[in-house]
Amino acid sequence: MTFKNFSYMYPVYPILCIFSAIFALIPLATHWMAGNIGAVSLALWIIGGNVMAAVNTIVWRGNLRNPHPVWGDICQAYFSVMNFAISAATLYIQFHLWKVARNKRLLVSVAERRRQKIWGICWCYGIPVLFVVLHYIVQGHRYDVAEDLGPMPTTYLTPVAFAVYYIWDPIMCLISIGFSLHTYWIIIRHRKQMAKVFVSSKKNSEKRYYRLLAMSLMLTLLHLPLVLWVVIYNATVATVYPWISWEDTHSNYMRISYISRTMAESFTNFVTISSISYWAVTLCGFTFFLFFGTGTEARRQYWAALTWVAARFGIKLPERKKKEKKNPTASGVSASVAGTPTWFDRLFGRRGGDDSFLSTLGTSTTTAVEFSTSFNKKESSSRGVRSPMNKARVDETISISPSVDHKRDGDDFKRHNPWMETSMGEVTSGEYDDGIALEVRGESAIEQGQQQSEHPETFLEMTF
């Protein structure tokens, strides 16, 4: 079924855009509190695109008026970079998940966590802004206004346009798919170690990790064929003009072109290509909600919000009964879980029981290890940290769950965490000027000494 112009989009499209923006906004709070820059930026780009598309299809229905040209400039810049920004955010998410799978750890230092945030903000927001500047190189005039659709970005199709604008979106998608496939390969090969990474975590869950991995891969697989089709169509079917000069490309730059319904019908595949681009953004919002707005944690937040609203009207809702989780013990997981094949087992043809994915959670001989930090002015044992500033000897014991129990992974874990004593090998300890501060499971584990130094070594848990 083909459409001659954009009149078919009203009123279904703006309504779906509004719902898509609302649905993408619902899980945003969870990722915002978790500090997941990639997921937050992905949701914000999707929400912004849906809101602008809904407003434009309502305001410009059946007319070509342009009462506020500045709004057209904003829409032109946003829509010209939106697809690339979604690909960049997806690539950042894939890289972050791949890094967790490769290192098989969730604890990072404060400095590393700060670097991750700065790099995430620059990648998810700074790179798209730079992409707007690149698009200006091949932007022939200010923007177009299409009847029933509103302001649209414009690109002067030259060989330079492919080099600086069209090619980068598919490249982002291909790199993202590469990280995703390698992450799945690591999970399949080291499923036991990966399962134990999340055992001692309260901030992160294994289900959220795999949902984020599946969502980013699905968005990339849906996005890549569309952008490849646009590139191939522009290179083979559309007219490619030669690049003459900067002055030729930007001649009469401030003009605004108006495309009526009759003109849209005369342009070959113009309605089809534009419609796919706009509907894809709406689909992204529903996909984001499907993965993160229907889980157990999301339902718990919905109930909390409903309880708060009911309390404002003097209605007290009954508390939800929390399901008791059977934690893995030294002897393994419960028989009902260990003997049942999971979706992961069925996907890769593994049998249930001892070989199942969930049964690997209980293969450790101990569920917790203890380590002590000792502070002494004159002496330090193999389980302590030397601090010349402290006169008193203070011992603190913390119970944490081990991440891995294999020698190879244990060596890697201790190399990244020199302060931790585990059951895999000998104890190693780092030396600091004064005291040590650790954060395990999101809580302050140890804080010793009269006063910490200017740069105390603090370990935080990665979130996603």
Side-chain angles (χ1 to χ4, degrees):
M1 184 178 182
T2 58
F3 300 96
K4 295 182 178 181
N5 51 57
F6 300 106
S7 59
Y8 77 94
M9 301 181 72
Y10 186 88
V12 177
Y13 181 75
I15 294 175
L16 291 180
C17 282
I18 294 173
F19 278 105
S20 179
I22 294 175
F23 285 166
L25 183 64
I26 291 174
L28 182 61
T30 302
H31 295 286
W32 183 276
M33 292 185 294
N36 189 347
I37 298 176
V40 169
S41 64
L42 178 62
L44 291 179
W45 284 110
I46 293 174
I47 292 170
N50 280 285
V51 170
M52 286 187 176
V55 171
N56 291 349
T57 51
I58 293 174
V59 174
W60 273 272
R61 177 179 177 263
N63 67 84
L64 287 171
R65 293 179 294 110
N66 191 20
H68 304 289
V70 177
W71 173 257
D73 293 325
I74 296 173
C75 292
Q76 183 279 138
Y78 195 93
F79 286 132
S80 66
V81 76
M82 181 180 59
N83 291 333
F84 176 81
I86 292 176
S87 299
T90 305
L91 176 57
Y92 179 80
I93 293 172
Q94 290 283 13
F95 175 78
H96 192 59
L97 299 178
W98 169 80
K99 195 173 181 180
V100 172
R102 185 194 63 173
N103 297 334
K104 301 180 185 64
R105 65 186 177 96
L106 293 175
L107 294 178
V108 294
S109 64
V110 173
E112 186 176 355
R113 181 67 178 276
R114 187 184 300 111
R115 287 194 299 268
Q116 288 179 357
K117 288 185 176 181
I118 295 175
W119 170 249
I121 294 174
C122 293
W123 182 265
C124 296
Y125 301 103
I127 297 297
V129 172
L130 178 62
F131 199 70
V132 174
V133 179
L134 292 178
H135 178 256
Y136 177 73
I137 298 175
V138 292
Q139 184 179 349
H141 53 275
R142 194 170 177 181
Y143 57 85
D144 295 335
V145 176
E147 188 175 358
D148 301 312
L149 203 60
M152 300 175 59
T154 177
T155 303
Y156 186 58
L157 200 58
T158 63
V160 178
F162 291 94
V164 302
Y165 183 69
Y166 285 111
I167 196 62
W168 294 109
D169 202 354
I171 290 177
M172 285 282 187
C173 293
L174 292 174
I175 297 175
S176 181
I177 291 176
F179 276 116
S180 179
L181 295 178
H182 192 215
T183 303
Y184 277 110
W185 182 81
I186 294 175
I187 293 172
I188 295 171
R189 189 176 180 182
H190 305 282
R191 66 185 190 279
K192 293 184 179 181
Q193 295 92 322
M194 283 298 301
K196 294 175 186 177
V197 168
F198 304 97
V199 172
S200 60
S201 175
K202 281 189 175 181
K203 290 184 177 181
N204 303 290
S205 66
E206 190 176 9
K207 292 182 179 180
R208 183 191 295 179
Y209 179 88
Y210 289 115
R211 283 200 303 266
L212 197 58
L213 184 62
M215 183 210 65
S216 55
L217 179 60
M218 177 180 290
L219 288 179
T220 305
L221 293 177
L222 292 175
H223 188 65
L224 180 60
L226 298 179
V227 295
L228 284 178
W229 176 57
V230 172
V231 173
I232 295 173
Y233 176 84
N234 288 331
T236 57
V237 179
T239 303
V240 180
Y241 301 96
W243 174 270
I244 299 176
S245 63
W246 177 276
E247 291 75 14
D248 177 75
T249 302
H250 296 83
S251 60
N252 196 14
Y253 175 80
M254 294 304 294
R255 76 181 185 275
I256 299 175
S257 299
Y258 296 90
I259 304 174
S260 63
R261 292 178 180 177
T262 305
M263 295 177 63
E265 294 174 2
S266 63
F267 295 155
T268 305
N269 293 329
F270 171 71
V271 177
T272 303
I273 295 176
S274 301
S275 297
I276 292 177
S277 301
Y278 276 75
W279 282 101
V281 180
T282 306
L283 181 61
C284 289
F286 289 108
T287 304
F288 190 83
F289 174 79
L290 179 64
F291 280 94
F292 295 102
T294 58
T296 304
E297 185 177 356
R299 293 196 299 268
R300 190 184 304 115
Q301 292 180 353
Y302 301 156
W303 184 258
L306 182 61
T307 303
W308 182 86
V309 173
R312 306 282 78 79
F313 296 93
I315 303 174
K316 185 177 181 181
L317 298 179
E319 296 183 0
R320 294 185 64 187
K321 295 181 180 180
K322 296 183 179 180
K323 296 182 180 180
E324 296 182 359
K325 296 182 179 180
K326 297 183 179 180
N327 295 324
T329 60
S331 59
V333 204
S334 61
S336 60
V337 176
T340 305
T342 63
W343 66 269
F344 197 90
D345 301 323
R346 296 189 184 96
L347 181 61
F348 297 101
R350 304 182 185 277
R351 61 183 178 86
D354 296 335
D355 191 47
S356 67
F357 180 62
L358 287 179
S359 64
T360 60
L361 292 175
T363 56
S364 176
T365 56
T366 57
T367 58
V369 292
E370 295 183 350
F371 71 97
S372 301
T373 55
S374 303
F375 297 84
N376 197 303
K377 177 180 180 181
K378 297 181 179 180
E379 62 179 3
S380 65
S381 64
S382 61
R383 304 179 63 189
V385 179
R386 181 174 298 162
S387 177
M389 299 294 294
N390 296 322
K391 297 181 180 181
R393 180 183 178 88
V394 184
D395 292 327
E396 291 288 344
T397 302
I398 303 171
S399 177
I400 62 171
S401 299
S403 292
V404 288
D405 61 352
H406 295 280
K407 178 175 177 53
R408 179 181 60 184
D409 300 302
D411 295 340
D412 180 72
F413 185 82
K414 290 188 295 181
R415 182 167 61 254
H416 292 289
N417 304 275
W419 47 269
M420 180 174 291
E421 173 190 357
T422 67
S423 60
M424 291 87 71
E426 62 182 8
V427 181
T428 58
S429 61
E431 293 191 3
Y432 303 87
D433 293 336
D434 183 28
I436 181 172
L438 310 178
E439 183 169 333
V440 180
R441 300 183 178 182
E443 300 174 355
S444 179
I446 298 178
E447 186 176 354
Q448 296 293 342
Q450 296 177 351
Q451 186 177 3
Q452 295 183 352
S453 61
E454 295 181 359
H455 304 284
E457 190 70 16
T458 306
F459 294 89
L460 303 176
E461 185 177 334
M462 297 173 63
T463 54
F464 44 80

mmCIF file with all atom_site columns, all heavy atoms in Angstrom, residues 47 77 98 116 170 180 189 193-194 209 222 252 268 338 368 423:
data_model
loop_
_atom_site.group_PDB
_atom_site.id
_atom_site.type_symbol
_atom_site.label_atom_id
_atom_site.label_alt_id
_atom_site.label_comp_id
_atom_site.label_asym_id
_atom_site.label_entity_id
_atom_site.label_seq_id
_atom_site.pdbx_PDB_ins_code
_atom_site.Cartn_x
_atom_site.Cartn_y
_atom_site.Cartn_z
_atom_site.occupancy
_atom_site.B_iso_or_equiv
_atom_site.pdbx_formal_charge
_atom_site.auth_seq_id
_atom_site.auth_comp_id
_atom_site.auth_asym_id
_atom_site.auth_atom_id
_atom_site.pdbx_PDB_model_num
ATOM 1   N N   . ILE A 1 47  ? 12.406 10.650  22.908 1.00 0.00 ? 47  ILE A N   1
ATOM 2   C CA  . ILE A 1 47  ? 11.305 11.484  23.399 1.00 0.00 ? 47  ILE A CA  1
ATOM 3   C C   . ILE A 1 47  ? 11.263 12.807  22.638 1.00 0.00 ? 47  ILE A C   1
ATOM 4   O O   . ILE A 1 47  ? 10.188 13.270  22.204 1.00 0.00 ? 47  ILE A O   1
ATOM 5   C CB  . ILE A 1 47  ? 11.454 11.722  24.907 1.00 0.00 ? 47  ILE A CB  1
ATOM 6   C CG1 . ILE A 1 47  ? 11.246 10.415  25.678 1.00 0.00 ? 47  ILE A CG1 1
ATOM 7   C CG2 . ILE A 1 47  ? 10.462 12.781  25.394 1.00 0.00 ? 47  ILE A CG2 1
ATOM 8   C CD1 . ILE A 1 47  ? 11.600 10.508  27.152 1.00 0.00 ? 47  ILE A CD1 1
ATOM 9   N N   . ALA A 1 77  ? 17.793 21.084  12.716 1.00 0.00 ? 77  ALA A N   1
ATOM 10  C CA  . ALA A 1 77  ? 19.022 20.619  13.362 1.00 0.00 ? 77  ALA A CA  1
ATOM 11  C C   . ALA A 1 77  ? 18.785 19.308  14.109 1.00 0.00 ? 77  ALA A C   1
ATOM 12  O O   . ALA A 1 77  ? 19.625 18.400  14.074 1.00 0.00 ? 77  ALA A O   1
ATOM 13  C CB  . ALA A 1 77  ? 19.550 21.697  14.312 1.00 0.00 ? 77  ALA A CB  1
ATOM 14  N N   . TRP A 1 98  ? 29.755 -4.596  26.803 1.00 0.00 ? 98  TRP A N   1
ATOM 15  C CA  . TRP A 1 98  ? 30.895 -5.415  26.397 1.00 0.00 ? 98  TRP A CA  1
ATOM 16  C C   . TRP A 1 98  ? 32.042 -5.295  27.394 1.00 0.00 ? 98  TRP A C   1
ATOM 17  O O   . TRP A 1 98  ? 32.737 -6.285  27.687 1.00 0.00 ? 98  TRP A O   1
ATOM 18  C CB  . TRP A 1 98  ? 31.356 -4.969  25.012 1.00 0.00 ? 98  TRP A CB  1
ATOM 19  C CG  . TRP A 1 98  ? 32.670 -5.562  24.588 1.00 0.00 ? 98  TRP A CG  1
ATOM 20  C CD1 . TRP A 1 98  ? 32.888 -6.811  24.074 1.00 0.00 ? 98  TRP A CD1 1
ATOM 21  C CD2 . TRP A 1 98  ? 33.951 -4.937  24.648 1.00 0.00 ? 98  TRP A CD2 1
ATOM 22  N NE1 . TRP A 1 98  ? 34.221 -7.000  23.799 1.00 0.00 ? 98  TRP A NE1 1
ATOM 23  C CE2 . TRP A 1 98  ? 34.903 -5.846  24.142 1.00 0.00 ? 98  TRP A CE2 1
ATOM 24  C CE3 . TRP A 1 98  ? 34.394 -3.678  25.060 1.00 0.00 ? 98  TRP A CE3 1
ATOM 25  C CZ2 . TRP A 1 98  ? 36.258 -5.550  24.055 1.00 0.00 ? 98  TRP A CZ2 1
ATOM 26  C CZ3 . TRP A 1 98  ? 35.737 -3.390  24.978 1.00 0.00 ? 98  TRP A CZ3 1
ATOM 27  C CH2 . TRP A 1 98  ? 36.645 -4.316  24.481 1.00 0.00 ? 98  TRP A CH2 1
ATOM 28  N N   . GLN A 1 116 ? 34.263 7.596   32.962 1.00 0.00 ? 116 GLN A N   1
ATOM 29  C CA  . GLN A 1 116 ? 33.166 6.996   32.207 1.00 0.00 ? 116 GLN A CA  1
ATOM 30  C C   . GLN A 1 116 ? 32.035 7.989   31.991 1.00 0.00 ? 116 GLN A C   1
ATOM 31  O O   . GLN A 1 116 ? 31.458 8.062   30.902 1.00 0.00 ? 116 GLN A O   1
ATOM 32  C CB  . GLN A 1 116 ? 32.650 5.755   32.942 1.00 0.00 ? 116 GLN A CB  1
ATOM 33  C CG  . GLN A 1 116 ? 33.574 4.559   32.889 1.00 0.00 ? 116 GLN A CG  1
ATOM 34  C CD  . GLN A 1 116 ? 33.024 3.374   33.662 1.00 0.00 ? 116 GLN A CD  1
ATOM 35  O OE1 . GLN A 1 116 ? 31.971 3.457   34.298 1.00 0.00 ? 116 GLN A OE1 1
ATOM 36  N NE2 . GLN A 1 116 ? 33.732 2.268   33.614 1.00 0.00 ? 116 GLN A NE2 1
ATOM 37  N N   . PRO A 1 170 ? 25.615 4.202   9.186  1.00 0.00 ? 170 PRO A N   1
ATOM 38  C CA  . PRO A 1 170 ? 25.836 2.761   9.027  1.00 0.00 ? 170 PRO A CA  1
ATOM 39  C C   . PRO A 1 170 ? 27.099 2.256   9.710  1.00 0.00 ? 170 PRO A C   1
ATOM 40  O O   . PRO A 1 170 ? 27.118 1.130   10.232 1.00 0.00 ? 170 PRO A O   1
ATOM 41  C CB  . PRO A 1 170 ? 25.923 2.593   7.504  1.00 0.00 ? 170 PRO A CB  1
ATOM 42  C CG  . PRO A 1 170 ? 25.228 3.765   6.934  1.00 0.00 ? 170 PRO A CG  1
ATOM 43  C CD  . PRO A 1 170 ? 25.473 4.878   7.887  1.00 0.00 ? 170 PRO A CD  1
ATOM 44  N N   . SER A 1 180 ? 28.195 -6.169  20.108 1.00 0.00 ? 180 SER A N   1
ATOM 45  C CA  . SER A 1 180 ? 27.118 -7.014  20.622 1.00 0.00 ? 180 SER A CA  1
ATOM 46  C C   . SER A 1 180 ? 27.417 -8.489  20.408 1.00 0.00 ? 180 SER A C   1
ATOM 47  O O   . SER A 1 180 ? 27.258 -9.308  21.325 1.00 0.00 ? 180 SER A O   1
ATOM 48  C CB  . SER A 1 180 ? 25.796 -6.629  19.950 1.00 0.00 ? 180 SER A CB  1
ATOM 49  O OG  . SER A 1 180 ? 24.751 -7.441  20.405 1.00 0.00 ? 180 SER A OG  1
ATOM 50  N N   . ARG A 1 189 ? 30.755 -18.354 26.314 1.00 0.00 ? 189 ARG A N   1
ATOM 51  C CA  . ARG A 1 189 ? 31.984 -19.055 26.669 1.00 0.00 ? 189 ARG A CA  1
ATOM 52  C C   . ARG A 1 189 ? 32.262 -19.022 28.162 1.00 0.00 ? 189 ARG A C   1
ATOM 53  O O   . ARG A 1 189 ? 32.813 -19.989 28.716 1.00 0.00 ? 189 ARG A O   1
ATOM 54  C CB  . ARG A 1 189 ? 33.162 -18.433 25.911 1.00 0.00 ? 189 ARG A CB  1
ATOM 55  C CG  . ARG A 1 189 ? 34.445 -19.216 26.049 1.00 0.00 ? 189 ARG A CG  1
ATOM 56  C CD  . ARG A 1 189 ? 35.558 -18.612 25.205 1.00 0.00 ? 189 ARG A CD  1
ATOM 57  N NE  . ARG A 1 189 ? 36.787 -19.353 25.334 1.00 0.00 ? 189 ARG A NE  1
ATOM 58  C CZ  . ARG A 1 189 ? 37.931 -19.022 24.744 1.00 0.00 ? 189 ARG A CZ  1
ATOM 59  N NH1 . ARG A 1 189 ? 37.974 -17.936 23.971 1.00 0.00 ? 189 ARG A NH1 1
ATOM 60  N NH2 . ARG A 1 189 ? 39.026 -19.744 24.907 1.00 0.00 ? 189 ARG A NH2 1
ATOM 61  N N   . GLN A 1 193 ? 31.224 -17.591 35.027 1.00 0.00 ? 193 GLN A N   1
ATOM 62  C CA  . GLN A 1 193 ? 31.804 -16.393 35.617 1.00 0.00 ? 193 GLN A CA  1
ATOM 63  C C   . GLN A 1 193 ? 30.881 -15.191 35.479 1.00 0.00 ? 193 GLN A C   1
ATOM 64  O O   . GLN A 1 193 ? 30.765 -14.373 36.392 1.00 0.00 ? 193 GLN A O   1
ATOM 65  C CB  . GLN A 1 193 ? 33.152 -16.083 34.945 1.00 0.00 ? 193 GLN A CB  1
ATOM 66  C CG  . GLN A 1 193 ? 34.214 -17.144 35.186 1.00 0.00 ? 193 GLN A CG  1
ATOM 67  C CD  . GLN A 1 193 ? 34.212 -18.192 34.088 1.00 0.00 ? 193 GLN A CD  1
ATOM 68  O OE1 . GLN A 1 193 ? 33.154 -18.571 33.598 1.00 0.00 ? 193 GLN A OE1 1
ATOM 69  N NE2 . GLN A 1 193 ? 35.389 -18.659 33.710 1.00 0.00 ? 193 GLN A NE2 1
ATOM 70  N N   . MET A 1 194 ? 30.202 -15.068 34.334 1.00 0.00 ? 194 MET A N   1
ATOM 71  C CA  . MET A 1 194 ? 29.288 -13.947 34.144 1.00 0.00 ? 194 MET A CA  1
ATOM 72  C C   . MET A 1 194 ? 28.112 -14.021 35.108 1.00 0.00 ? 194 MET A C   1
ATOM 73  O O   . MET A 1 194 ? 27.626 -13.000 35.580 1.00 0.00 ? 194 MET A O   1
ATOM 74  C CB  . MET A 1 194 ? 28.783 -13.929 32.700 1.00 0.00 ? 194 MET A CB  1
ATOM 75  C CG  . MET A 1 194 ? 29.773 -13.394 31.700 1.00 0.00 ? 194 MET A CG  1
ATOM 76  S SD  . MET A 1 194 ? 30.224 -11.682 32.014 1.00 0.00 ? 194 MET A SD  1
ATOM 77  C CE  . MET A 1 194 ? 28.630 -10.888 31.901 1.00 0.00 ? 194 MET A CE  1
ATOM 78  N N   . TYR A 1 209 ? 20.684 -6.392  32.664 1.00 0.00 ? 209 TYR A N   1
ATOM 79  C CA  . TYR A 1 209 ? 21.839 -6.440  31.767 1.00 0.00 ? 209 TYR A CA  1
ATOM 80  C C   . TYR A 1 209 ? 21.452 -7.055  30.425 1.00 0.00 ? 209 TYR A C   1
ATOM 81  O O   . TYR A 1 209 ? 21.752 -6.502  29.361 1.00 0.00 ? 209 TYR A O   1
ATOM 82  C CB  . TYR A 1 209 ? 22.950 -7.255  32.425 1.00 0.00 ? 209 TYR A CB  1
ATOM 83  C CG  . TYR A 1 209 ? 24.199 -7.398  31.591 1.00 0.00 ? 209 TYR A CG  1
ATOM 84  C CD1 . TYR A 1 209 ? 25.208 -6.446  31.646 1.00 0.00 ? 209 TYR A CD1 1
ATOM 85  C CD2 . TYR A 1 209 ? 24.382 -8.491  30.753 1.00 0.00 ? 209 TYR A CD2 1
ATOM 86  C CE1 . TYR A 1 209 ? 26.359 -6.578  30.888 1.00 0.00 ? 209 TYR A CE1 1
ATOM 87  C CE2 . TYR A 1 209 ? 25.521 -8.634  29.989 1.00 0.00 ? 209 TYR A CE2 1
ATOM 88  C CZ  . TYR A 1 209 ? 26.508 -7.671  30.069 1.00 0.00 ? 209 TYR A CZ  1
ATOM 89  O OH  . TYR A 1 209 ? 27.634 -7.808  29.307 1.00 0.00 ? 209 TYR A OH  1
ATOM 90  N N   . LEU A 1 222 ? 17.228 -3.120  13.467 1.00 0.00 ? 222 LEU A N   1
ATOM 91  C CA  . LEU A 1 222 ? 16.129 -2.456  12.770 1.00 0.00 ? 222 LEU A CA  1
ATOM 92  C C   . LEU A 1 222 ? 16.598 -1.182  12.063 1.00 0.00 ? 222 LEU A C   1
ATOM 93  O O   . LEU A 1 222 ? 16.072 -0.814  11.005 1.00 0.00 ? 222 LEU A O   1
ATOM 94  C CB  . LEU A 1 222 ? 15.014 -2.111  13.763 1.00 0.00 ? 222 LEU A CB  1
ATOM 95  C CG  . LEU A 1 222 ? 14.238 -3.289  14.366 1.00 0.00 ? 222 LEU A CG  1
ATOM 96  C CD1 . LEU A 1 222 ? 13.250 -2.784  15.415 1.00 0.00 ? 222 LEU A CD1 1
ATOM 97  C CD2 . LEU A 1 222 ? 13.517 -4.065  13.286 1.00 0.00 ? 222 LEU A CD2 1
ATOM 98  N N   . ASN A 1 252 ? 22.340 31.319  -1.848 1.00 0.00 ? 252 ASN A N   1
ATOM 99  C CA  . ASN A 1 252 ? 20.960 31.590  -1.416 1.00 0.00 ? 252 ASN A CA  1
ATOM 100 C C   . ASN A 1 252 ? 20.563 30.670  -0.255 1.00 0.00 ? 252 ASN A C   1
ATOM 101 O O   . ASN A 1 252 ? 19.509 30.040  -0.245 1.00 0.00 ? 252 ASN A O   1
ATOM 102 C CB  . ASN A 1 252 ? 19.991 31.414  -2.586 1.00 0.00 ? 252 ASN A CB  1
ATOM 103 C CG  . ASN A 1 252 ? 18.639 32.041  -2.312 1.00 0.00 ? 252 ASN A CG  1
ATOM 104 O OD1 . ASN A 1 252 ? 18.478 32.835  -1.369 1.00 0.00 ? 252 ASN A OD1 1
ATOM 105 N ND2 . ASN A 1 252 ? 17.640 31.684  -3.107 1.00 0.00 ? 252 ASN A ND2 1
ATOM 106 N N   . THR A 1 268 ? 9.664  11.250  -6.600 1.00 0.00 ? 268 THR A N   1
ATOM 107 C CA  . THR A 1 268 ? 9.751  9.786   -6.555 1.00 0.00 ? 268 THR A CA  1
ATOM 108 C C   . THR A 1 268 ? 10.237 9.329   -5.176 1.00 0.00 ? 268 THR A C   1
ATOM 109 O O   . THR A 1 268 ? 11.313 9.727   -4.717 1.00 0.00 ? 268 THR A O   1
ATOM 110 C CB  . THR A 1 268 ? 10.717 9.273   -7.631 1.00 0.00 ? 268 THR A CB  1
ATOM 111 O OG1 . THR A 1 268 ? 10.297 9.789   -8.903 1.00 0.00 ? 268 THR A OG1 1
ATOM 112 C CG2 . THR A 1 268 ? 10.733 7.753   -7.661 1.00 0.00 ? 268 THR A CG2 1
ATOM 113 N N   . ALA A 1 338 ? 17.488 -25.310 39.353 1.00 0.00 ? 338 ALA A N   1
ATOM 114 C CA  . ALA A 1 338 ? 18.623 -25.950 38.713 1.00 0.00 ? 338 ALA A CA  1
ATOM 115 C C   . ALA A 1 338 ? 18.199 -27.025 37.730 1.00 0.00 ? 338 ALA A C   1
ATOM 116 O O   . ALA A 1 338 ? 18.895 -27.301 36.770 1.00 0.00 ? 338 ALA A O   1
ATOM 117 C CB  . ALA A 1 338 ? 19.538 -26.554 39.777 1.00 0.00 ? 338 ALA A CB  1
ATOM 118 N N   . ALA A 1 368 ? 30.384 -16.294 50.711 1.00 0.00 ? 368 ALA A N   1
ATOM 119 C CA  . ALA A 1 368 ? 30.948 -15.008 51.101 1.00 0.00 ? 368 ALA A CA  1
ATOM 120 C C   . ALA A 1 368 ? 32.369 -15.206 51.554 1.00 0.00 ? 368 ALA A C   1
ATOM 121 O O   . ALA A 1 368 ? 32.766 -16.280 52.003 1.00 0.00 ? 368 ALA A O   1
ATOM 122 C CB  . ALA A 1 368 ? 30.121 -14.386 52.239 1.00 0.00 ? 368 ALA A CB  1
ATOM 123 N N   . SER A 1 423 ? 39.053 -15.956 47.968 1.00 0.00 ? 423 SER A N   1
ATOM 124 C CA  . SER A 1 423 ? 39.413 -17.334 48.239 1.00 0.00 ? 423 SER A CA  1
ATOM 125 C C   . SER A 1 423 ? 40.195 -17.956 47.096 1.00 0.00 ? 423 SER A C   1
ATOM 126 O O   . SER A 1 423 ? 40.489 -19.139 47.128 1.00 0.00 ? 423 SER A O   1
ATOM 127 C CB  . SER A 1 423 ? 38.135 -18.156 48.465 1.00 0.00 ? 423 SER A CB  1
ATOM 128 O OG  . SER A 1 423 ? 37.320 -18.096 47.310 1.00 0.00 ? 423 SER A OG  1
#
